[in-house]
mmCIF file of all heavy atoms in Angstrom:
data_model
loop_
_atom_site.group_PDB
_atom_site.id
_atom_site.type_symbol
_atom_site.label_atom_id
_atom_site.label_comp_id
_atom_site.label_asym_id
_atom_site.label_seq_id
_atom_site.Cartn_x
_atom_site.Cartn_y
_atom_site.Cartn_z
ATOM 1 N N SER A 1 -6.901 3.353 0.001
ATOM 2 C CA SER A 1 -8.168 3.244 -0.688
ATOM 3 C C SER A 1 -8.279 4.063 -1.972
ATOM 4 O O SER A 1 -7.503 5.040 -2.141
ATOM 5 C CB SER A 1 -9.311 3.641 0.244
ATOM 6 O OG SER A 1 -9.238 5.010 0.594
ATOM 7 N N SER A 2 -9.229 3.706 -2.749
ATOM 8 C CA SER A 2 -9.530 4.413 -3.981
ATOM 9 C C SER A 2 -11.029 4.423 -4.167
ATOM 10 O O SER A 2 -11.733 3.527 -3.709
ATOM 11 C CB SER A 2 -8.893 3.713 -5.183
ATOM 12 O OG SER A 2 -9.315 4.291 -6.392
ATOM 13 N N ARG A 3 -11.533 5.407 -4.864
ATOM 14 C CA ARG A 3 -12.970 5.526 -5.095
ATOM 15 C C ARG A 3 -13.365 4.677 -6.324
ATOM 16 O O ARG A 3 -14.438 4.837 -6.851
ATOM 17 C CB ARG A 3 -13.378 6.976 -5.306
ATOM 18 C CG ARG A 3 -13.266 7.735 -4.038
ATOM 19 C CD ARG A 3 -13.976 9.042 -4.136
ATOM 20 N NE ARG A 3 -15.407 8.789 -4.255
ATOM 21 C CZ ARG A 3 -16.295 9.725 -4.476
ATOM 22 N NH1 ARG A 3 -15.893 10.966 -4.636
ATOM 23 N NH2 ARG A 3 -17.545 9.419 -4.566
ATOM 24 N N GLY A 4 -12.499 3.854 -6.814
ATOM 25 C CA GLY A 4 -12.794 3.016 -7.944
ATOM 26 C C GLY A 4 -11.966 3.248 -9.182
ATOM 27 O O GLY A 4 -12.025 2.489 -10.121
ATOM 28 N N GLU A 5 -11.199 4.333 -9.196
ATOM 29 C CA GLU A 5 -10.347 4.630 -10.303
ATOM 30 C C GLU A 5 -8.956 4.155 -9.984
ATOM 31 O O GLU A 5 -7.967 4.867 -10.267
ATOM 32 C CB GLU A 5 -10.348 6.172 -10.638
ATOM 33 C CG GLU A 5 -11.722 6.761 -10.799
ATOM 34 C CD GLU A 5 -12.293 7.260 -9.481
ATOM 35 O OE1 GLU A 5 -11.574 7.352 -8.477
ATOM 36 O OE2 GLU A 5 -13.502 7.593 -9.525
ATOM 37 N N SER A 6 -8.818 2.963 -9.442
ATOM 38 C CA SER A 6 -7.541 2.495 -8.920
ATOM 39 C C SER A 6 -6.441 2.476 -9.951
ATOM 40 O O SER A 6 -5.282 2.625 -9.608
ATOM 41 C CB SER A 6 -7.683 1.129 -8.264
ATOM 42 O OG SER A 6 -8.128 0.192 -9.244
ATOM 43 N N LEU A 7 -6.766 2.311 -11.225
ATOM 44 C CA LEU A 7 -5.686 2.276 -12.239
ATOM 45 C C LEU A 7 -5.105 3.632 -12.500
ATOM 46 O O LEU A 7 -3.971 3.739 -13.012
ATOM 47 C CB LEU A 7 -6.209 1.632 -13.515
ATOM 48 C CG LEU A 7 -6.643 0.147 -13.407
ATOM 49 C CD1 LEU A 7 -7.229 -0.328 -14.720
ATOM 50 C CD2 LEU A 7 -5.505 -0.724 -12.911
ATOM 51 N N VAL A 8 -5.837 4.668 -12.205
ATOM 52 C CA VAL A 8 -5.363 6.025 -12.459
ATOM 53 C C VAL A 8 -5.219 6.868 -11.180
ATOM 54 O O VAL A 8 -4.773 8.007 -11.201
ATOM 55 C CB VAL A 8 -6.229 6.782 -13.459
ATOM 56 C CG1 VAL A 8 -6.162 6.110 -14.817
ATOM 57 C CG2 VAL A 8 -7.640 6.877 -12.947
ATOM 58 N N ASP A 9 -5.638 6.314 -10.044
ATOM 59 C CA ASP A 9 -5.598 7.027 -8.777
ATOM 60 C C ASP A 9 -4.202 6.951 -8.188
ATOM 61 O O ASP A 9 -3.774 5.891 -7.767
ATOM 62 C CB ASP A 9 -6.628 6.454 -7.804
ATOM 63 C CG ASP A 9 -6.821 7.265 -6.570
ATOM 64 O OD1 ASP A 9 -5.984 8.114 -6.296
ATOM 65 O OD2 ASP A 9 -7.772 6.937 -5.823
ATOM 66 N N LYS A 10 -3.472 8.047 -8.176
ATOM 67 C CA LYS A 10 -2.123 8.047 -7.628
ATOM 68 C C LYS A 10 -2.069 7.826 -6.157
ATOM 69 O O LYS A 10 -0.963 7.509 -5.601
ATOM 70 C CB LYS A 10 -1.444 9.405 -7.985
ATOM 71 C CG LYS A 10 -1.222 9.552 -9.475
ATOM 72 C CD LYS A 10 -0.577 10.855 -9.789
ATOM 73 C CE LYS A 10 -0.442 10.954 -11.332
ATOM 74 N NZ LYS A 10 0.055 12.203 -11.785
ATOM 75 N N ARG A 11 -3.178 7.926 -5.444
ATOM 76 C CA ARG A 11 -3.210 7.637 -4.004
ATOM 77 C C ARG A 11 -3.280 6.148 -3.724
ATOM 78 O O ARG A 11 -3.084 5.684 -2.615
ATOM 79 C CB ARG A 11 -4.361 8.350 -3.357
ATOM 80 C CG ARG A 11 -4.290 9.866 -3.452
ATOM 81 C CD ARG A 11 -5.586 10.474 -3.138
ATOM 82 N NE ARG A 11 -6.578 9.953 -4.135
ATOM 83 C CZ ARG A 11 -7.816 10.364 -4.212
ATOM 84 N NH1 ARG A 11 -8.253 11.263 -3.423
ATOM 85 N NH2 ARG A 11 -8.591 9.870 -5.173
ATOM 86 N N PHE A 12 -3.603 5.328 -4.772
ATOM 87 C CA PHE A 12 -3.741 3.900 -4.590
ATOM 88 C C PHE A 12 -2.355 3.268 -4.786
ATOM 89 O O PHE A 12 -1.709 3.434 -5.825
ATOM 90 C CB PHE A 12 -4.724 3.350 -5.598
ATOM 91 C CG PHE A 12 -5.294 1.998 -5.225
ATOM 92 C CD1 PHE A 12 -6.155 1.889 -4.124
ATOM 93 C CD2 PHE A 12 -5.000 0.894 -5.936
ATOM 94 C CE1 PHE A 12 -6.689 0.664 -3.768
ATOM 95 C CE2 PHE A 12 -5.565 -0.344 -5.598
ATOM 96 C CZ PHE A 12 -6.392 -0.450 -4.523
ATOM 97 N N ALA A 13 -1.863 2.605 -3.759
ATOM 98 C CA ALA A 13 -0.509 2.021 -3.787
ATOM 99 C C ALA A 13 -0.367 0.928 -4.802
ATOM 100 O O ALA A 13 -1.234 0.031 -4.869
ATOM 101 C CB ALA A 13 -0.131 1.495 -2.392
ATOM 102 N N SER A 14 0.664 0.966 -5.611
ATOM 103 C CA SER A 14 0.951 -0.103 -6.592
ATOM 104 C C SER A 14 1.432 -1.338 -5.844
ATOM 105 O O SER A 14 1.763 -1.300 -4.659
ATOM 106 C CB SER A 14 2.040 0.358 -7.559
ATOM 107 O OG SER A 14 3.275 0.456 -6.911
ATOM 108 N N GLY A 15 1.551 -2.425 -6.554
ATOM 109 C CA GLY A 15 2.040 -3.645 -5.999
ATOM 110 C C GLY A 15 3.395 -3.463 -5.348
ATOM 111 O O GLY A 15 3.672 -4.019 -4.217
ATOM 112 N N THR A 16 4.309 -2.802 -5.988
ATOM 113 C CA THR A 16 5.680 -2.587 -5.488
ATOM 114 C C THR A 16 5.637 -1.695 -4.220
ATOM 115 O O THR A 16 6.304 -1.981 -3.227
ATOM 116 C CB THR A 16 6.540 -1.897 -6.568
ATOM 117 O OG1 THR A 16 6.560 -2.720 -7.714
ATOM 118 C CG2 THR A 16 7.964 -1.722 -6.056
ATOM 119 N N GLU A 17 4.828 -0.644 -4.276
ATOM 120 C CA GLU A 17 4.727 0.240 -3.088
ATOM 121 C C GLU A 17 4.119 -0.501 -1.919
ATOM 122 O O GLU A 17 4.578 -0.363 -0.771
ATOM 123 C CB GLU A 17 3.842 1.439 -3.422
ATOM 124 C CG GLU A 17 4.483 2.396 -4.419
ATOM 125 C CD GLU A 17 3.523 3.343 -5.078
ATOM 126 O OE1 GLU A 17 2.303 3.037 -5.207
ATOM 127 O OE2 GLU A 17 3.990 4.396 -5.529
ATOM 128 N N TRP A 18 3.049 -1.294 -2.166
ATOM 129 C CA TRP A 18 2.424 -2.072 -1.099
ATOM 130 C C TRP A 18 3.355 -3.092 -0.523
ATOM 131 O O TRP A 18 3.325 -3.329 0.676
ATOM 132 C CB TRP A 18 1.155 -2.676 -1.690
ATOM 133 C CG TRP A 18 -0.002 -2.889 -0.749
ATOM 134 C CD1 TRP A 18 -0.767 -4.051 -0.723
ATOM 135 C CD2 TRP A 18 -0.566 -2.021 0.212
ATOM 136 N NE1 TRP A 18 -1.723 -3.911 0.236
ATOM 137 C CE2 TRP A 18 -1.621 -2.683 0.826
ATOM 138 C CE3 TRP A 18 -0.227 -0.760 0.654
ATOM 139 C CZ2 TRP A 18 -2.385 -2.093 1.832
ATOM 140 C CZ3 TRP A 18 -0.967 -0.165 1.647
ATOM 141 C CH2 TRP A 18 -2.026 -0.854 2.250
ATOM 142 N N GLN A 19 4.175 -3.723 -1.376
ATOM 143 C CA GLN A 19 5.179 -4.701 -0.885
ATOM 144 C C GLN A 19 6.190 -3.980 0.010
ATOM 145 O O GLN A 19 6.583 -4.560 1.019
ATOM 146 C CB GLN A 19 5.884 -5.378 -2.075
ATOM 147 C CG GLN A 19 6.913 -6.394 -1.628
ATOM 148 C CD GLN A 19 6.317 -7.555 -0.908
ATOM 149 O OE1 GLN A 19 5.168 -7.975 -1.145
ATOM 150 N NE2 GLN A 19 7.044 -8.092 0.043
ATOM 151 N N SER A 20 6.557 -2.787 -0.322
ATOM 152 C CA SER A 20 7.510 -2.001 0.532
ATOM 153 C C SER A 20 6.878 -1.725 1.902
ATOM 154 O O SER A 20 7.611 -1.785 2.896
ATOM 155 C CB SER A 20 7.867 -0.727 -0.184
ATOM 156 O OG SER A 20 8.692 0.104 0.605
ATOM 157 N N VAL A 21 5.608 -1.411 1.942
ATOM 158 C CA VAL A 21 4.943 -1.175 3.190
ATOM 159 C C VAL A 21 4.938 -2.446 4.037
ATOM 160 O O VAL A 21 5.245 -2.429 5.218
ATOM 161 C CB VAL A 21 3.478 -0.684 2.963
ATOM 162 C CG1 VAL A 21 2.669 -0.666 4.282
ATOM 163 C CG2 VAL A 21 3.516 0.708 2.334
ATOM 164 N N GLU A 22 4.633 -3.572 3.407
ATOM 165 C CA GLU A 22 4.605 -4.883 4.108
ATOM 166 C C GLU A 22 5.978 -5.154 4.691
ATOM 167 O O GLU A 22 6.118 -5.590 5.831
ATOM 168 C CB GLU A 22 4.203 -5.992 3.140
ATOM 169 C CG GLU A 22 4.311 -7.362 3.701
ATOM 170 C CD GLU A 22 3.373 -7.672 4.849
ATOM 171 O OE1 GLU A 22 2.200 -7.250 4.800
ATOM 172 O OE2 GLU A 22 3.827 -8.367 5.786
ATOM 173 N N GLU A 23 7.036 -4.945 3.909
ATOM 174 C CA GLU A 23 8.384 -5.187 4.366
ATOM 175 C C GLU A 23 8.766 -4.300 5.557
ATOM 176 O O GLU A 23 9.371 -4.756 6.524
ATOM 177 C CB GLU A 23 9.389 -5.017 3.235
ATOM 178 C CG GLU A 23 9.296 -6.087 2.197
ATOM 179 C CD GLU A 23 10.050 -5.763 0.927
ATOM 180 O OE1 GLU A 23 10.742 -4.693 0.838
ATOM 181 O OE2 GLU A 23 10.024 -6.589 -0.016
ATOM 182 N N ARG A 24 8.371 -3.043 5.493
ATOM 183 C CA ARG A 24 8.619 -2.103 6.615
ATOM 184 C C ARG A 24 7.934 -2.549 7.905
ATOM 185 O O ARG A 24 8.518 -2.477 8.984
ATOM 186 C CB ARG A 24 8.196 -0.667 6.203
ATOM 187 C CG ARG A 24 8.280 0.337 7.330
ATOM 188 C CD ARG A 24 9.728 0.535 7.766
ATOM 189 N NE ARG A 24 9.795 1.440 8.935
ATOM 190 C CZ ARG A 24 9.942 1.022 10.210
ATOM 191 N NH1 ARG A 24 10.039 -0.249 10.509
ATOM 192 N NH2 ARG A 24 10.037 1.956 11.147
ATOM 193 N N LEU A 25 6.668 -2.965 7.752
ATOM 194 C CA LEU A 25 5.932 -3.444 8.904
ATOM 195 C C LEU A 25 6.501 -4.722 9.476
ATOM 196 O O LEU A 25 6.627 -4.830 10.703
ATOM 197 C CB LEU A 25 4.447 -3.635 8.497
ATOM 198 C CG LEU A 25 3.683 -2.338 8.270
ATOM 199 C CD1 LEU A 25 2.406 -2.634 7.505
ATOM 200 C CD2 LEU A 25 3.376 -1.617 9.582
ATOM 201 N N THR A 26 6.865 -5.631 8.639
ATOM 202 C CA THR A 26 7.459 -6.879 9.114
ATOM 203 C C THR A 26 8.740 -6.600 9.854
ATOM 204 O O THR A 26 8.996 -7.143 10.922
ATOM 205 C CB THR A 26 7.702 -7.836 7.939
ATOM 206 O OG1 THR A 26 6.460 -8.140 7.313
ATOM 207 C CG2 THR A 26 8.344 -9.135 8.405
ATOM 208 N N ALA A 27 9.575 -5.704 9.329
ATOM 209 C CA ALA A 27 10.841 -5.361 9.981
ATOM 210 C C ALA A 27 10.594 -4.695 11.371
ATOM 211 O O ALA A 27 11.402 -4.853 12.281
ATOM 212 C CB ALA A 27 11.642 -4.402 9.100
ATOM 213 N N SER A 28 9.472 -3.987 11.509
ATOM 214 C CA SER A 28 9.187 -3.303 12.745
ATOM 215 C C SER A 28 8.778 -4.225 13.869
ATOM 216 O O SER A 28 8.816 -3.896 15.036
ATOM 217 C CB SER A 28 8.092 -2.256 12.553
ATOM 218 O OG SER A 28 6.806 -2.867 12.439
ATOM 219 N N GLY A 29 8.264 -5.438 13.478
ATOM 220 C CA GLY A 29 7.793 -6.386 14.462
ATOM 221 C C GLY A 29 6.405 -6.120 14.960
ATOM 222 O O GLY A 29 5.909 -6.822 15.860
ATOM 223 N N VAL A 30 5.737 -5.106 14.410
ATOM 224 C CA VAL A 30 4.389 -4.757 14.815
ATOM 225 C C VAL A 30 3.368 -5.746 14.222
ATOM 226 O O VAL A 30 3.477 -6.060 12.995
ATOM 227 C CB VAL A 30 4.059 -3.298 14.369
ATOM 228 C CG1 VAL A 30 2.577 -3.010 14.543
ATOM 229 C CG2 VAL A 30 4.882 -2.296 15.156
ATOM 230 N N GLU A 31 2.403 -6.233 15.016
ATOM 231 C CA GLU A 31 1.339 -7.004 14.458
ATOM 232 C C GLU A 31 0.542 -6.067 13.538
ATOM 233 O O GLU A 31 0.204 -4.945 13.902
ATOM 234 C CB GLU A 31 0.423 -7.513 15.557
ATOM 235 C CG GLU A 31 -0.731 -8.345 15.059
ATOM 236 C CD GLU A 31 -1.686 -8.742 16.159
ATOM 237 O OE1 GLU A 31 -1.393 -8.592 17.354
ATOM 238 O OE2 GLU A 31 -2.766 -9.172 15.780
ATOM 239 N N HIS A 32 0.283 -6.534 12.305
ATOM 240 C CA HIS A 32 -0.339 -5.616 11.326
ATOM 241 C C HIS A 32 -1.213 -6.315 10.364
ATOM 242 O O HIS A 32 -1.216 -7.547 10.228
ATOM 243 C CB HIS A 32 0.766 -4.866 10.550
ATOM 244 C CG HIS A 32 1.649 -5.764 9.780
ATOM 245 N ND1 HIS A 32 2.722 -6.395 10.337
ATOM 246 C CD2 HIS A 32 1.629 -6.123 8.479
ATOM 247 C CE1 HIS A 32 3.331 -7.143 9.416
ATOM 248 N NE2 HIS A 32 2.680 -6.983 8.285
#
């Protein structure tokens, strides 16, 4: 999440980072 400053909020995952999370979850077999 971000408080609205998503373009400058380093805690907000970029598209590449978010894709990496999706790939990790898919590999784990966990419903997510």
Side-chain angles (χ1 to χ4, degrees):
S1 66
S2 172
R3 292 193 67 185
E5 306 91 10
S6 61
L7 296 177
V8 295
D9 188 348
K10 293 179 181 175
R11 297 165 300 186
F12 201 68
S14 71
T16 304
E17 291 162 334
W18 208 224
Q19 181 62 34
S20 176
V21 170
E22 172 68 39
E23 290 169 1
R24 174 63 184 102
L25 289 163
T26 300
S28 75
V30 168
E31 180 185 348
H32 62 275

